[in-house]
Amino acid sequence: MPLIKSNIHTHTEFCDGRNSMEQMVQVAIKKGFETIGFSPHSFTKFDLRYCCKDFNAFRQEFMRIKTIYGDKIKLLMGIELDAYGELPKNLDYIIASVHYVKKGDNYYSVDSSKLHFENALINGFCGDKLKLAECYFDTLVKAVRTIKPDVIGHFDLLDLYGKYEGEQYKQIALTAVERLKETNSLVEINLGRCFKRMGGAYPADFIVQYMARHGFDFILSNDAHCTDALGYMFDEEVERLKTLGVNRLFYFDGTDKKQIELI
Ligand SMILES: [Zn+2]
Ligand SMILES: [Zn+2]
């Protein structure tokens, strides 16, 4: 059984997840989870491919599931709010994420596919990867300062297809960290890319190390889009985080934040 028995970044058929909410809950119970939080992608009117188009239906299903399984697992209703998404009311928590960079009137996805990233790079930023990074992190900082979310989602998602390296990029990323020093939001250690076998967790090691040194706190999540992803690599990642200077993790127990010391 994993040390962390909670995942609050979970997608279902209500957005771009592969499984139903009920299937996710059943597997979470089987895996010994104490909490599961659902976080559909917020509605983005300029991109309907992946977002939750009927939040009321999601809410209704959540209440139905809670009635059935509420005595076996704590269920939380959240959202993964894109910087340009719409925020519904009465939620247990908010994950704030950036999936788009905006140039003029155009929203460019940075993570839908390699092609989408290249489109953003060429048509939005004349091929300048660093300019794209500046825009991405600026969007993130502003979103976090405005929304004051419980969790900052996949801090450096742009790296999925951007494959960033080099000192200039590091400076841009760490400047964003500096600008968020006063935040009370937890930083998500997101294992979504690990499950897809496309790389390591977000944020990159140098960002986690810098954040850990500067008093940021973290929460581990799978960004699960299917039942198999729930709890995937939790224990391995905890061990790895210790080597990066992270000595405690937070998780949600009901609506409270709880802390686990990593020793
Ligand atoms: Zn996301
Ligand atoms: Zn997500």
Side-chain angles (χ1 to χ4, degrees), residues 55-206:
F55 200 85
N56 283 334
F58 163 77
R59 201 186 286 275
Q60 263 177 23
E61 177 64 358
F62 178 87
M63 296 316 293
R64 187 185 78 83
I65 295 289
K66 198 170 176 175
T67 313
I68 302 172
Y69 299 96
D71 59 340
K72 297 190 180 71
I73 189 167
K74 285 175 190 158
L75 288 144
L76 299 174
M77 183 169 49
I79 195 158
E80 183 178 8
L81 177 62
D82 185 80
Y84 297 111
E86 294 178 12
L87 177 61
K89 289 192 170 63
N90 300 322
L91 300 167
D92 294 320
Y93 65 94
I94 298 171
I95 302 171
S97 295
V98 171
H99 304 96
Y100 304 92
V101 282
K102 189 173 183 227
K103 264 291 187 160
D105 291 335
N106 296 317
Y107 297 89
Y108 296 102
S109 164
V110 297
D111 71 316
S112 299
S113 68
K114 196 168 189 303
L115 216 61
H116 278 87
F117 182 85
E118 279 165 6
N119 179 47
L121 184 59
I122 304 301
N123 294 316
F125 298 88
C126 303
D128 189 333
K129 268 174 79 170
L130 295 176
K131 283 268 177 287
L132 189 156
E134 278 171 359
C135 180
Y136 172 92
F137 283 115
D138 194 51
T139 308
L140 182 67
V141 169
K142 285 178 179 154
V144 171
R145 284 179 174 175
T146 313
I147 298 161
K148 299 184 174 52
D150 301 280
V151 177
I152 304 172
H154 45 59
F155 191 86
D156 52 351
L157 180 69
L158 78 170
D159 187 52
L160 176 62
Y161 295 110
K163 304 283 174 219
Y164 279 91
E165 51 191 22
E167 278 313 306
Q168 282 174 295
Y169 168 68
K170 284 187 179 175
Q171 272 319 310
I172 293 167
L174 295 183
T175 300
V177 177
E178 280 290 323
R179 292 172 70 195
L180 290 173
K181 256 184 175 170
E182 309 307 319
T183 181
N184 289 319
S185 307
L186 297 172
V187 175
E188 178 191 41
I189 304 290
N190 180 311
L191 292 165
R193 182 163 61 173
C194 303
F195 185 75
K196 289 192 237 170
R197 316 293 195 273
M198 289 177 73
Y202 308 104
D205 291 359
F206 76 93

